[in-house]
Amino acid sequence: MTSTPERIVVYGVTGSGKSTLAALIAGRTGLPYVSADDLTWQPGWVAVPDDEQRRRIAEVCAGERWVLDAAYSRWKDVVLPRTQLVVGLDYPRWLSLGRLVRRTAKRSVTRERICNGNVESFRQMFSADSIIRWHFASFARKRATIRAWAAESPGPEIRRLTSPRETRRWLDTL
C-alpha cells in the first residue's frame, strides 16, 4: 500500500507485543487504538459471551479508522473483511514467552489494572487457565496462521515481521 492503511489488525502469539505495537501504530498514525481484551473481558476475569463479543467487534470494524490488537478465532471472520493491513508478529517462542513471563510477573507484583480493571496474580499465573499455559496451547496455531496469511492473504495486505528490529524499522516508515 502506498498510503497508510486506516484499518489495521496486529496479530501474533500471546506475549509477542501486539498491544504495545498497536498503541505505537495508533500514536504514529492518529488512528484510534482498540484493545480486544477490553472488549472481551469483564471485571473479575469473566469472559464476555461470544455473541456480545462479535457485536462489539462488528461495531468497531464498522468504523472507518482503527487499530485492533488481536483477531480472535471466534470473530476473525468479522474483522478480516474490513481490515486493510494485518501486521503479523512472528517472533521466536523464547522471545514471546520471555516477554509474557516478565510482563505477567511484573503485573502480579504491581497489581496493575488491565482489561476493565482486572488484575493478574501469581496464583493465576500458575492456574489451569494461565495466560502462560495459553501461550503454549496456542503458539503453533497462531504462528501457522501468520505464515499461511503471508503466503496467501485472506484479503488484506499482510506484513509479517520476524524480529523486534524488523518491527522497529517498519514502524519508522509510518
Side-chain angles (χ1 to χ4, degrees), residues 36-54:
D37 284 344
D38 286 343
L39 300 175
T40 58
W41 290 104
Q42 300 176 79
W45 290 111
V46 175
V48 171
D50 288 353
D51 60 335
E52 177 61 13
Q53 284 186 32
R54 289 179 67 81

Side-chain angles (χ1 to χ4, degrees), residues 26-117:
R28 295 270 173 115
T29 62
L31 296 170
Y33 164 60
V34 179
S35 166
D37 284 344
D38 286 343
L39 300 175
T40 58
W41 290 104
Q42 300 176 79
W45 290 111
V46 175
V48 171
D50 288 353
D51 60 335
E52 177 61 13
Q53 284 186 32
R54 289 179 67 81
R55 188 199 66 73
R56 291 176 180 188
I57 293 299
E59 187 176 301
V60 168
C61 292
E64 288 303 314
R65 305 177 72 244
W66 40 263
V67 180
L68 186 61
D69 65 1
Y72 297 159
S73 58
R74 67 180 65 100
W75 40 258
K76 240 188 293 193
D77 63 310
V78 174
V79 175
L80 290 179
R82 294 281 299 147
T83 301
Q84 294 175 320
L85 172 65
V86 173
V87 180
L89 298 180
D90 188 7
Y91 295 165
R93 182 189 294 271
W94 64 266
L95 179 62
S96 56
L97 180 60
R99 285 179 169 182
L100 180 63
V101 169
R102 281 190 303 279
R103 179 191 82 189
T104 304
K106 178 182 170 239
R107 286 178 178 170
S108 295
V109 170
T110 64
R111 311 298 289 163
E112 175 186 346
R113 295 197 176 280
I114 58 170
C115 311
N116 295 312

Side-chain angles (χ1 to χ4, degrees), residues 92-147:
R93 182 189 294 271
W94 64 266
L95 179 62
S96 56
L97 180 60
R99 285 179 169 182
L100 180 63
V101 169
R102 281 190 303 279
R103 179 191 82 189
T104 304
K106 178 182 170 239
R107 286 178 178 170
S108 295
V109 170
T110 64
R111 311 298 289 163
E112 175 186 346
R113 295 197 176 280
I114 58 170
C115 311
N116 295 312
N118 289 304
V119 177
E120 293 180 297
S121 68
F122 285 108
R123 185 169 52 107
Q124 188 181 37
M125 193 171 162
F126 297 104
S127 71
D129 59 349
S130 162
I131 194 166
I132 294 168
R133 191 174 190 164
W134 176 248
H135 171 89
F136 283 99
S138 63
F139 182 89
R141 177 180 43 82
K142 289 182 178 182
R143 183 175 236 192
T145 297
I146 294 168
R147 291 176 176 187

